[in-house]
Amino acid sequence: VQIRYTNSAADLTPEQLSGFFEGWPNLPSPETHLRLLQNSDYVWLAIDEETDRVVGFITAISDGVLSAYIPLLEVLPLFRGHGIGKQLTRRMLETLHGFYMVDLICDTELQLFYEKLNMQKTTGMSLRNYARQSGS
Ligand SMILES: CC(C)(COP(=O)(O)OP(=O)(O)OC[C@H]1O[C@@H](n2cnc3c(N)ncnc32)[C@H](O)[C@@H]1OP(=O)(O)O)[C@@H](O)C(=O)NCCC(=O)NCCS
């Protein structure tokens, strides 16, 4: 499979976005997905050259001075295990290399994935409003 990477969602359409948010009970629509990609400060997309569909994405939001946060990373199930998630994360960390702090939250099973990309384990706090999981 030939994958193209891009750091712009400007020309994307909702039709190129389906199958994401696996396991989310109240998942965002493709239109809402597109909106969050276009509203993020930074984005990297993996696109299947053959179908022109997005098969993986990572987003970051930032204060533009010291800090950046990575809210979302996902690769479509059929495309996992081929280095796409690593490539997206590596490209995003390179994009964010000038910031003092780059943070994300993940399950413990994924800590090794991020450690291989030079990130360190930390502790944190979070709040989730499940009524807003599909976007407002
Ligand atoms: C996590 C995710 C993005 C990984 O994408 P991927 O394209 O399959 O990952 P890669 O093929 O680039 O894997 C890179 C490395 O991480 C490892 N890895 C991948 N997924 C892993 C997982 N769920 N747990 C532990 N290790 C994992 C791979 O074995 C590989 O190791 P290697 O470099 O030593 O061979 C993908 O599984 C996914 O979308 N999961 C659901 C959403 C999610 O959990 N997102 C993260 C939110 S914090």
Side-chain angles (χ1 to χ4, degrees), residues 8-62:
S8 171
D11 299 326
L12 217 55
T13 63
E15 291 70 34
Q16 289 172 277
L17 295 164
S18 59
F20 288 101
F21 304 102
E22 187 199 20
W24 287 37
N26 185 16
L27 81 178
S29 65
E31 289 75 17
T32 302
H33 189 182
L34 179 61
R35 194 153 52 92
L36 77 83
L37 291 173
Q38 292 180 336
N39 285 355
S40 293
D41 292 302
Y42 306 98
V43 66
W44 275 100
L45 308 170
I47 298 175
D48 180 351
E49 290 273 32
E50 200 183 307
T51 62
D52 212 34
R53 295 172 81 90
V54 177
V55 299
F57 74 99
I58 187 168
T59 56
I61 55 176
S62 169

Side-chain angles (χ1 to χ4, degrees), residues 73-75 79-86 105-106 109-110 113-114 116:
L73 163 68
E74 187 172 359
V75 172
F79 291 83
R80 288 179 195 164
H82 294 100
I84 297 173
K86 187 193 268 186
I105 284 177
C106 70
E109 308 90 84
L110 273 170
F113 172 84
Y114 292 111
K116 286 177 186 166

